[in-house]
Amino acid sequence: MPTHKSTQQLRPTRERIIDAAYQLLRTIGLARTTTKEIARAAGCSEAALYKHFSGKEEIFVRVLHDRLPRLNPLLDELAQDAGERGLERNLTEVAEHAALFYEQSVPIAASLFAEPALKRRHFEGVRELGAGPRTPLVALAAYLRAERERGAVRPDADTDAAAALLLGACSQRAFLYDFTEGERPEQPLDAFVQGLVRTLLHGLVPAGGHGLLRG
């Protein structure tokens, strides 16, 4: 029978690198994870790692996209299909994914804030890749503007503020609890999401509730 190591080696190098990075980021954080350690955990050389990725920042972006809850892919889909499924359903799905996304990503990136120079270099590198912490905020605001243009959102609604309120509440939830140690909020996720979306809709939806659901 093949050993665990030999079975792992059969997997594509790129996938092994992403898996190894994900495990290291979850256990020791972004600041302490190096490309050398990722390569060692993936069972490849550091030179082989650089054949697939430009550096740690690109690996980090790929981990966020491929291994964490689907926040950015979901927002990309909504940008293409505004109005397809209804505002309330879409915001509920975004809030669910955002809460889970920040629950996993905040502990990964938190170590950067203890090292300002490293944090600056990291975010500069991520921005060069067209990503960064503001990416979901920009995408959600754009989706809400599309809903406003089709009449599902009030014409005087501040879509940037609404996006910041939704994602800000989800990220704050992640900061308040130590999910890595199994600590959970008193309010279950579904109740948190329902209350958040219901509150936002009061300020977004035109009188009479038009546009809440798909017509």
PDB file of all heavy atoms in Angstrom, residues 53-68:
ATOM      1  N   PHE A  53       3.959  30.378  -7.786  1.00  0.00           N
ATOM      2  CA  PHE A  53       3.486  31.601  -7.134  1.00  0.00           C
ATOM      3  C   PHE A  53       4.602  32.640  -7.095  1.00  0.00           C
ATOM      4  O   PHE A  53       5.784  32.297  -6.970  1.00  0.00           O
ATOM      5  CB  PHE A  53       3.017  31.315  -5.703  1.00  0.00           C
ATOM      6  CG  PHE A  53       1.886  30.324  -5.624  1.00  0.00           C
ATOM      7  CD1 PHE A  53       2.139  28.981  -5.363  1.00  0.00           C
ATOM      8  CD2 PHE A  53       0.578  30.728  -5.827  1.00  0.00           C
ATOM      9  CE1 PHE A  53       1.106  28.070  -5.289  1.00  0.00           C
ATOM     10  CE2 PHE A  53      -0.468  29.812  -5.760  1.00  0.00           C
ATOM     11  CZ  PHE A  53      -0.208  28.486  -5.496  1.00  0.00           C
ATOM     12  N   SER A  54       4.211  33.907  -7.161  1.00  0.00           N
ATOM     13  CA  SER A  54       5.196  34.987  -7.132  1.00  0.00           C
ATOM     14  C   SER A  54       5.754  35.221  -5.738  1.00  0.00           C
ATOM     15  O   SER A  54       6.820  35.805  -5.584  1.00  0.00           O
ATOM     16  CB  SER A  54       4.565  36.282  -7.651  1.00  0.00           C
ATOM     17  OG  SER A  54       3.462  36.662  -6.839  1.00  0.00           O
ATOM     18  N   GLY A  55       5.044  34.756  -4.721  1.00  0.00           N
ATOM     19  CA  GLY A  55       5.507  34.939  -3.347  1.00  0.00           C
ATOM     20  C   GLY A  55       4.421  34.597  -2.352  1.00  0.00           C
ATOM     21  O   GLY A  55       3.348  34.093  -2.715  1.00  0.00           O
ATOM     22  N   LYS A  56       4.681  34.891  -1.091  1.00  0.00           N
ATOM     23  CA  LYS A  56       3.732  34.540  -0.030  1.00  0.00           C
ATOM     24  C   LYS A  56       2.406  35.273  -0.192  1.00  0.00           C
ATOM     25  O   LYS A  56       1.343  34.725   0.130  1.00  0.00           O
ATOM     26  CB  LYS A  56       4.348  34.851   1.340  1.00  0.00           C
ATOM     27  CG  LYS A  56       3.515  34.323   2.498  1.00  0.00           C
ATOM     28  CD  LYS A  56       4.243  34.429   3.821  1.00  0.00           C
ATOM     29  CE  LYS A  56       4.276  35.834   4.343  1.00  0.00           C
ATOM     30  NZ  LYS A  56       4.782  35.901   5.745  1.00  0.00           N
ATOM     31  N   GLU A  57       2.458  36.509  -0.693  1.00  0.00           N
ATOM     32  CA  GLU A  57       1.216  37.272  -0.840  1.00  0.00           C
ATOM     33  C   GLU A  57       0.264  36.593  -1.818  1.00  0.00           C
ATOM     34  O   GLU A  57      -0.945  36.514  -1.562  1.00  0.00           O
ATOM     35  CB  GLU A  57       1.527  38.697  -1.310  1.00  0.00           C
ATOM     36  CG  GLU A  57       2.175  39.579  -0.250  1.00  0.00           C
ATOM     37  CD  GLU A  57       3.645  39.243  -0.055  1.00  0.00           C
ATOM     38  OE1 GLU A  57       4.250  38.646  -0.971  1.00  0.00           O
ATOM     39  OE2 GLU A  57       4.180  39.556   1.018  1.00  0.00           O
ATOM     40  N   GLU A  58       0.782  36.104  -2.918  1.00  0.00           N
ATOM     41  CA  GLU A  58      -0.084  35.431  -3.890  1.00  0.00           C
ATOM     42  C   GLU A  58      -0.638  34.129  -3.314  1.00  0.00           C
ATOM     43  O   GLU A  58      -1.806  33.791  -3.553  1.00  0.00           O
ATOM     44  CB  GLU A  58       0.673  35.142  -5.183  1.00  0.00           C
ATOM     45  CG  GLU A  58      -0.234  34.550  -6.271  1.00  0.00           C
ATOM     46  CD  GLU A  58       0.475  34.267  -7.581  1.00  0.00           C
ATOM     47  OE1 GLU A  58       1.699  34.522  -7.665  1.00  0.00           O
ATOM     48  OE2 GLU A  58      -0.194  33.786  -8.507  1.00  0.00           O
ATOM     49  N   ILE A  59       0.174  33.417  -2.554  1.00  0.00           N
ATOM     50  CA  ILE A  59      -0.305  32.186  -1.914  1.00  0.00           C
ATOM     51  C   ILE A  59      -1.426  32.520  -0.938  1.00  0.00           C
ATOM     52  O   ILE A  59      -2.456  31.837  -0.881  1.00  0.00           O
ATOM     53  CB  ILE A  59       0.844  31.462  -1.193  1.00  0.00           C
ATOM     54  CG1 ILE A  59       1.913  31.025  -2.193  1.00  0.00           C
ATOM     55  CG2 ILE A  59       0.316  30.246  -0.430  1.00  0.00           C
ATOM     56  CD1 ILE A  59       3.166  30.457  -1.551  1.00  0.00           C
ATOM     57  N   PHE A  60      -1.246  33.584  -0.176  1.00  0.00           N
ATOM     58  CA  PHE A  60      -2.260  34.009   0.787  1.00  0.00           C
ATOM     59  C   PHE A  60      -3.577  34.331   0.088  1.00  0.00           C
ATOM     60  O   PHE A  60      -4.650  33.897   0.526  1.00  0.00           O
ATOM     61  CB  PHE A  60      -1.747  35.232   1.551  1.00  0.00           C
ATOM     62  CG  PHE A  60      -2.754  35.875   2.461  1.00  0.00           C
ATOM     63  CD1 PHE A  60      -3.202  35.233   3.600  1.00  0.00           C
ATOM     64  CD2 PHE A  60      -3.269  37.129   2.176  1.00  0.00           C
ATOM     65  CE1 PHE A  60      -4.143  35.816   4.439  1.00  0.00           C
ATOM     66  CE2 PHE A  60      -4.198  37.733   3.002  1.00  0.00           C
ATOM     67  CZ  PHE A  60      -4.630  37.070   4.141  1.00  0.00           C
ATOM     68  N   VAL A  61      -3.505  35.088  -1.008  1.00  0.00           N
ATOM     69  CA  VAL A  61      -4.712  35.429  -1.763  1.00  0.00           C
ATOM     70  C   VAL A  61      -5.394  34.159  -2.272  1.00  0.00           C
ATOM     71  O   VAL A  61      -6.619  34.027  -2.230  1.00  0.00           O
ATOM     72  CB  VAL A  61      -4.375  36.368  -2.934  1.00  0.00           C
ATOM     73  CG1 VAL A  61      -5.567  36.527  -3.871  1.00  0.00           C
ATOM     74  CG2 VAL A  61      -3.942  37.737  -2.415  1.00  0.00           C
ATOM     75  N   ARG A  62      -4.614  33.193  -2.738  1.00  0.00           N
ATOM     76  CA  ARG A  62      -5.192  31.950  -3.257  1.00  0.00           C
ATOM     77  C   ARG A  62      -5.819  31.131  -2.136  1.00  0.00           C
ATOM     78  O   ARG A  62      -6.865  30.502  -2.325  1.00  0.00           O
ATOM     79  CB  ARG A  62      -4.100  31.153  -3.988  1.00  0.00           C
ATOM     80  CG  ARG A  62      -4.587  29.900  -4.683  1.00  0.00           C
ATOM     81  CD  ARG A  62      -5.825  30.118  -5.511  1.00  0.00           C
ATOM     82  NE  ARG A  62      -5.705  31.232  -6.428  1.00  0.00           N
ATOM     83  CZ  ARG A  62      -6.726  31.728  -7.128  1.00  0.00           C
ATOM     84  NH1 ARG A  62      -7.949  31.217  -6.985  1.00  0.00           N
ATOM     85  NH2 ARG A  62      -6.541  32.731  -7.959  1.00  0.00           N
ATOM     86  N   VAL A  63      -5.204  31.132  -0.958  1.00  0.00           N
ATOM     87  CA  VAL A  63      -5.794  30.439   0.189  1.00  0.00           C
ATOM     88  C   VAL A  63      -7.146  31.056   0.534  1.00  0.00           C
ATOM     89  O   VAL A  63      -8.133  30.355   0.767  1.00  0.00           O
ATOM     90  CB  VAL A  63      -4.849  30.482   1.411  1.00  0.00           C
ATOM     91  CG1 VAL A  63      -5.585  30.062   2.682  1.00  0.00           C
ATOM     92  CG2 VAL A  63      -3.649  29.563   1.189  1.00  0.00           C
ATOM     93  N   LEU A  64      -7.204  32.389   0.578  1.00  0.00           N
ATOM     94  CA  LEU A  64      -8.470  33.070   0.874  1.00  0.00           C
ATOM     95  C   LEU A  64      -9.541  32.699  -0.141  1.00  0.00           C
ATOM     96  O   LEU A  64     -10.711  32.517   0.207  1.00  0.00           O
ATOM     97  CB  LEU A  64      -8.274  34.589   0.873  1.00  0.00           C
ATOM     98  CG  LEU A  64      -7.386  35.198   1.957  1.00  0.00           C
ATOM     99  CD1 LEU A  64      -7.398  36.711   1.832  1.00  0.00           C
ATOM    100  CD2 LEU A  64      -7.821  34.769   3.341  1.00  0.00           C
ATOM    101  N   HIS A  65      -9.143  32.589  -1.393  1.00  0.00           N
ATOM    102  CA  HIS A  65     -10.102  32.334  -2.468  1.00  0.00           C
ATOM    103  C   HIS A  65     -10.540  30.872  -2.508  1.00  0.00           C
ATOM    104  O   HIS A  65     -11.720  30.580  -2.726  1.00  0.00           O
ATOM    105  CB  HIS A  65      -9.489  32.722  -3.812  1.00  0.00           C
ATOM    106  CG  HIS A  65     -10.472  32.766  -4.945  1.00  0.00           C
ATOM    107  ND1 HIS A  65     -10.865  31.642  -5.639  1.00  0.00           N
ATOM    108  CD2 HIS A  65     -11.159  33.809  -5.500  1.00  0.00           C
ATOM    109  CE1 HIS A  65     -11.742  31.986  -6.566  1.00  0.00           C
ATOM    110  NE2 HIS A  65     -11.929  33.290  -6.502  1.00  0.00           N
ATOM    111  N   ASP A  66      -9.594  29.957  -2.286  1.00  0.00           N
ATOM    112  CA  ASP A  66      -9.871  28.534  -2.505  1.00  0.00           C
ATOM    113  C   ASP A  66     -10.213  27.752  -1.244  1.00  0.00           C
ATOM    114  O   ASP A  66     -10.884  26.725  -1.328  1.00  0.00           O
ATOM    115  CB  ASP A  66      -8.655  27.849  -3.158  1.00  0.00           C
ATOM    116  CG  ASP A  66      -8.429  28.297  -4.589  1.00  0.00           C
ATOM    117  OD1 ASP A  66      -9.233  29.120  -5.081  1.00  0.00           O
ATOM    118  OD2 ASP A  66      -7.452  27.836  -5.203  1.00  0.00           O
ATOM    119  N   ARG A  67      -9.746  28.194  -0.074  1.00  0.00           N
ATOM    120  CA  ARG A  67      -9.885  27.372   1.127  1.00  0.00           C
ATOM    121  C   ARG A  67     -10.806  27.965   2.172  1.00  0.00           C
ATOM    122  O   ARG A  67     -11.242  27.249   3.070  1.00  0.00           O
ATOM    123  CB  ARG A  67      -8.502  27.123   1.755  1.00  0.00           C
ATOM    124  CG  ARG A  67      -7.537  26.333   0.885  1.00  0.00           C
ATOM    125  CD  ARG A  67      -8.050  24.910   0.634  1.00  0.00           C
ATOM    126  NE  ARG A  67      -7.091  24.132  -0.135  1.00  0.00           N
ATOM    127  CZ  ARG A  67      -7.099  24.039  -1.465  1.00  0.00           C
ATOM    128  NH1 ARG A  67      -8.032  24.692  -2.166  1.00  0.00           N
ATOM    129  NH2 ARG A  67      -6.211  23.317  -2.100  1.00  0.00           N
ATOM    130  N   LEU A  68     -11.109  29.240   2.088  1.00  0.00           N
ATOM    131  CA  LEU A  68     -11.996  29.863   3.059  1.00  0.00           C
ATOM    132  C   LEU A  68     -13.400  29.990   2.473  1.00  0.00           C
ATOM    133  O   LEU A  68     -13.583  29.826   1.266  1.00  0.00           O
ATOM    134  CB  LEU A  68     -11.460  31.241   3.464  1.00  0.00           C
ATOM    135  CG  LEU A  68     -10.519  31.240   4.679  1.00  0.00           C
ATOM    136  CD1 LEU A  68      -9.289  30.407   4.428  1.00  0.00           C
ATOM    137  CD2 LEU A  68     -10.132  32.664   5.071  1.00  0.00           C
TER     138      LEU A  68
END
